[in-house]
Amino acid sequence: MDTDLSIVLDRAAAMPLAAQIHGALRQAILGGRLAAGARLPSWRDLAAQLGVARGTVRVAYERLMDEQLVVGMGAAGTRVARWPVPDLPPVPPPAETLPMAAFFHDFEGTPLAFQMGVPAQDAFPYTQWSRVLARAARTAAQAPVGYPDPRGHPDLRHAIAAYLAIARGIQCAPGQVLVTNGYAGALNLAVRALGLEGRAAWMEEPGFPLTRTALSLAGMRPVPVPVDSQGLDVAAGMAVARHAALAVVTPGQQAPLGMALSLARRISLLDWARHTGAWVLEDDYLSELQLAGRAAPALAAVDHAAGGDARVLHAGTFSKTISPALRLGFLVVPAALAGHFGDVAACLSPAPAAPVQRAVAAFLAEGHYLRHLRRMKRLYATRRAALLRALDGLLPVRATAGLSVVVALPPGTNDIAIANQALAFGMAPVPLSPWYVAEGNGQAGLLLGVTNVNDRHLAADCVRLAELVARFG
């Protein structure tokens, strides 16, 4: 042996003796104490020296050989490799950057005051949901081992079809329903299955920034189309991009301004789609969660009722009604496309895990979902009224839209800076300006979610928000 080794074994440690021997030799090689070409003791000699079995030493040596740190040379013994792997200095991990950091301030945290897109943290039926989820997990664990249906669990697709018939007036078969990874999964599936890459897509102006970004990432060219009191201006869309391949709309409650797409505009939009061969993706992000009166009918209901060449794909989600943590949405496609969409889902975008699907299916089928929605409507209406009272005299309200209140700010106000500063005070308003593409006046504003406002802190939060507006205005 060319080098004397000092290996200390801890026989009380949880680490196996062979792993301890391997670690000590590896450290000696990488640290330079065992030079290239140095001869290691034989299995017998090192085993006798350490008081272990020869097989234990052999396991350590074989692992070093697998790592190409030593070479077995027969009668010449085992020697340190001539070009051992160097002990590289540690490289600090890169700074972590949140995905879509311009739109998300945090993930998996407790909702803050005015935060949009999340249901009420304090009003969710945790006990009922926990029971349903536990039962679904047990059922899924006992299910036959096999590949699940990529379109989604049959029970959930049946439950969604039944719910849409009652709540949204959409008559569809379960085979037309595909369960997706939230709204993003539905949008991606639609673009891929329809082969729309490289084509233009109408986007409401203002419109959901993540939809605009997603269309660009999917290879489409978003074209902003203005909205007015009747919703999407179809004539303006035809003027700027008559032969667009897709229109993404929020006809029930326009996001972020809240108006419903008028009947005349609905008919005009469907006529445009049929005459040009375009498709319409209906983002029904709040479903029937309308706080005043009844929700406007789904555009897909009008499209399917007309018969013939159906052009509307209906996208929904459980993120704002149950929880965004589910990452569960759905897409309803025309019957003629159901088979093709199923193939694309199987290859590129299969449905999420079965236990969550089973739980949501039971939540719908047993009536818990509709009862939960009724309770949330009353709660959110009360919280919105309280927010409007607290804002009175402090900040001008431009609109009440869905589950948010739109606060108007003077032109030139830095609404992004206001939103960023508000985080330090436990508030998460959403700036309005990123929802626009075109430059111009009247775009600055704040979107204040009503779902997680706190009565005890609401007045103080509104005063603090008004102070921030005055500072950055």
Side-chain angles (χ1 to χ4, degrees):
M1 182 179 69
D2 296 343
T3 303
D4 186 25
L5 293 173
S6 296
I7 299 176
V8 179
L9 299 180
D10 183 357
R11 299 180 187 276
M15 180 182 292
L17 295 177
Q20 294 184 48
I21 296 169
H22 163 265
L25 292 173
R26 186 177 190 277
Q27 186 176 6
I29 294 171
L30 296 178
R33 290 188 292 112
L34 281 175
R39 186 171 182 266
L40 299 184
S42 66
W43 299 350
R44 183 191 302 270
D45 291 343
L46 188 56
Q49 176 184 332
L50 298 176
V52 299
R54 284 181 293 173
T56 300
V57 178
R58 186 192 67 188
V59 170
Y61 278 26
E62 288 177 346
R63 185 171 175 185
L64 291 171
M65 290 179 186
D66 291 340
E67 295 173 347
Q68 298 183 355
L69 294 175
V70 301
V71 179
M73 305 182 69
T78 303
R79 296 182 179 271
V80 176
R82 289 289 178 184
W83 298 281
V85 178
D87 190 13
L88 299 175
V91 178
E96 183 177 359
T97 302
L98 289 178
M100 305 300 294
F103 306 109
F104 297 105
H105 67 274
D106 191 15
F107 290 108
E108 303 190 32
T110 302
L112 302 179
F114 307 136
Q115 187 168 338
M116 290 179 57
V118 288
Q121 177 81 21
D122 60 340
F124 186 73
Y126 292 104
T127 301
Q128 182 66 61
W129 174 250
S130 297
R131 292 171 181 165
V132 171
L133 189 60
R135 187 172 73 240
R138 289 193 298 270
T139 303
Q142 298 167 358
V145 177
Y147 285 99
D149 191 327
R151 301 169 299 172
H153 194 278
D155 290 352
L156 180 54
R157 291 189 289 115
H158 276 81
I160 291 173
Y163 166 75
L164 291 175
I166 296 171
R168 308 300 291 129
I170 300 174
Q171 302 299 321
C172 64
Q176 295 173 249
V177 179
L178 297 102
V179 180
T180 64
N181 282 280
Y183 168 68
L187 179 59
N188 177 64
L189 181 59
V191 173
R192 300 306 181 202
L194 296 175
L196 303 181
E197 296 87 345
R199 305 286 300 280
W202 289 4
M203 265 287 301
E204 294 170 331
E205 172 76 353
F208 190 34
L210 267 68
T211 296
R212 188 186 313 123
T213 303
L215 290 172
S216 298
L217 292 173
M220 298 199 73
R221 179 172 57 86
V223 177
V225 178
V227 300
D228 57 23
S229 60
Q230 298 186 62
L232 182 80
D233 188 339
V234 180
M238 288 191 289
V240 296
R242 178 179 181 82
H243 296 289
L246 178 69
V248 182
V249 294
T250 52
Q253 300 178 67
Q254 199 275 333
L257 300 182
M259 73 285 290
L261 188 64
S262 69
L263 179 59
R265 293 281 177 84
R266 290 169 183 247
I267 295 172
S268 179
L269 179 63
L270 294 177
D271 286 345
W272 164 77
R274 292 192 178 104
H275 290 151
T276 63
W279 299 96
V280 178
L281 179 66
E282 176 180 24
D283 177 6
D284 197 32
Y285 66 103
L286 285 180
S287 187
E288 64 164 330
L289 202 54
Q290 172 75 41
L291 302 190
R294 291 187 58 84
L299 182 63
V302 178
D303 182 46
H304 295 177
D309 184 16
R311 310 303 298 177
V312 176
L313 288 75
H314 180 91
T317 174
F318 297 102
S319 295
K320 297 170 183 62
T321 54
I322 300 180
S323 171
L326 299 178
R327 296 300 302 161
L328 202 63
F330 56 88
L331 185 68
V332 182
V333 302
L337 296 178
H340 174 61
F341 268 76
D343 292 343
V344 175
C347 296
L348 297 176
S349 187
V356 172
Q357 291 191 63
R358 289 176 182 268
V360 175
F363 205 65
L364 268 71
E366 296 170 10
H368 306 305
Y369 185 66
L370 286 175
R371 287 192 293 272
H372 174 60
L373 287 185
R374 286 196 293 268
R375 289 194 298 269
M376 293 304 99
K377 284 183 182 182
R378 293 192 295 269
L379 175 65
Y380 294 159
T382 299
R383 290 184 173 179
R384 184 172 71 179
L387 175 57
L388 291 172
R389 288 194 299 270
L391 290 171
D392 188 31
L394 290 175
L395 293 169
V397 173
R398 176 177 175 182
T400 56
L403 303 181
S404 64
V405 171
V406 185
V407 171
L409 299 178
T413 301
N414 191 341
D415 54 2
I416 297 176
I418 294 171
N420 290 335
Q421 289 294 317
L423 293 172
F425 300 99
M427 301 181 293
V430 174
L432 179 62
S433 60
W435 293 63
Y436 287 86
V437 173
E439 297 293 335
N441 294 329
Q443 297 181 13
L446 295 172
L447 303 171
L448 308 182
V450 306
T451 58
N452 284 283
V453 297
N454 187 310
D455 288 341
R456 291 175 297 175
H457 306 140
L458 182 57
D461 287 342
C462 290
V463 170
R464 176 70 69 180
L465 196 61
E467 292 173 349
L468 291 174
V469 170
R471 184 189 310 173
F472 290 93

